[in-house]
Amino acid sequence: MRNDRMNTIYAPAFAAFGGSAFGAISTIVTGWVTRRRRVRERHHAHTVSKREKLYRSFIEEASRLYADALTSDKSEIPALVNLYALVGRMRILSDDEVVHAAERAGRLIIEIYLAPNKSFVDLPGCMEEMDPLREFGEACRREMHAVPAR
């Protein structure tokens, strides 16, 4: 009789202890999962921001060089090196499609430097047929839309 009474006394105590332990563990696990998710989201936002800045720098430099190449025979070797340094950074952060599009834009700019200069009257026709950054911009847009929001 005494054993039965002991079992009935311990059952509620064990149930209360189990509930408290489960509550504490679930709070700890929930906090850990939430913190981990926030860190991942912050890292993802930082990565996207870094790519956007890199692409903006490349577009600005390539546009300036393209305009210079259309009207000048004198190439800006240091500026071309800066452009290819940006492409090198893209190799680390970007998809292959974006890197190849950036390389093609760089080659097109070099070809424009080697071609005869254009006059102001010739520029509208040249811009339509030889937009060096269209393919690059489209590749960047596809890459940014393909990156899953975590």
Side-chain angles (χ1 to χ4, degrees), residues 5-123:
R5 189 170 170 205
M6 287 284 248
N7 289 342
T8 58
I9 291 174
Y10 288 130
F14 283 135
F17 176 74
S20 295
F22 182 76
I25 289 172
S26 65
T27 301
I28 291 169
V29 168
T30 301
W32 177 75
V33 168
T34 302
R35 233 177 290 117
R36 185 172 172 186
R37 184 170 181 93
R38 276 192 209 134
V39 166
R40 253 190 312 185
E41 287 173 354
R42 210 174 306 130
H43 177 72
H44 175 70
H46 179 70
T47 301
V48 168
S49 173
K50 203 174 188 180
R51 285 181 187 179
E52 287 174 348
K53 287 177 186 174
L54 177 59
Y55 298 160
R56 182 180 334 117
S57 297
F58 180 82
I59 289 170
E60 289 170 355
E61 188 70 18
S63 297
R64 190 183 65 71
L65 285 171
Y66 181 67
D68 183 62
L70 286 172
T71 59
S72 174
D73 286 335
K74 183 181 173 194
S75 63
E76 293 187 30
I77 302 297
L80 286 169
V81 170
N82 289 338
L83 188 71
Y84 278 97
L86 292 171
V87 173
R89 289 179 55 201
M90 281 182 219
R91 284 190 185 97
I92 297 169
L93 298 173
S94 305
D95 291 342
D96 288 340
E97 182 185 7
V98 173
V99 173
H100 294 309
E103 289 171 341
R104 283 190 289 275
R107 279 194 295 276
L108 180 62
I109 290 170
I110 291 172
E111 290 172 9
I112 297 296
Y113 267 117
L114 297 174
N117 289 345
K118 306 291 183 203
S119 67
F120 187 75
V121 176
D122 298 332
L123 290 181

